Amino acid sequence: MEKAYVVVADDHAVVRAGICNALQSLAYLEVVAEVGNGKDLLAVLARWQPDLLVTDVTMPDFEPIATVRQICEQYPNLRVLVVSAYDDDVYVQGLLGAGAHGYHLKDQSMRDLCLAVEQVLQGKRWVSSALLDRLLPHTQTTLAPQLSPRQLELLEFQALGLVELP
């Protein structure tokens, strides 16, 4: 994989350091900048034109959905991976709908974070597995029609050999 340049945005310096440390295991990545607020983020993106933005959603001067939408429109080749503690379905869907390419929960392993980065940089989408069940539409797949309680009772009796059904 060719060299990819990354900007990490989070208002907590310790979290930024942890993300940067995890990304060091991916030899083809170079973190070119770290920022802690939305204002600095926009200036850094304009200066570096990175391949990937790894960003939290709660920072000073940062309205996440509108800003992610603006960033994705302004930098169509930039991949955006949201790394957040928020797992609210509407919030996640709003950010993915605004153009984010992935949504990773902060309580997942650093190894999973690296996998998320790899997937997003390869042009794929990423959503933490903890969110998938809630985000995918639930459809009831039943092979047999629903049986009434009496039908279930008769079926059980037949299985026990207590009754023969026509």
Side-chain angles (χ1 to χ4, degrees), residues 100-117:
H101 300 93
Y103 199 102
H104 185 77
L105 293 174
K106 284 185 177 178
D107 66 356
Q108 304 298 296
S109 72
M110 289 299 194
R111 190 170 131 196
D112 284 351
L113 173 63
C114 290
L115 181 59
V117 165

Side-chain angles (χ1 to χ4, degrees), residues 8 10-21 56 83 106 110:
V8 176
D10 194 296
D11 60 331
H12 295 99
V14 171
V15 174
R16 283 195 315 268
I19 291 170
C20 291
N21 187 46
D56 188 12
V83 178
K106 284 185 177 178
M110 289 299 194

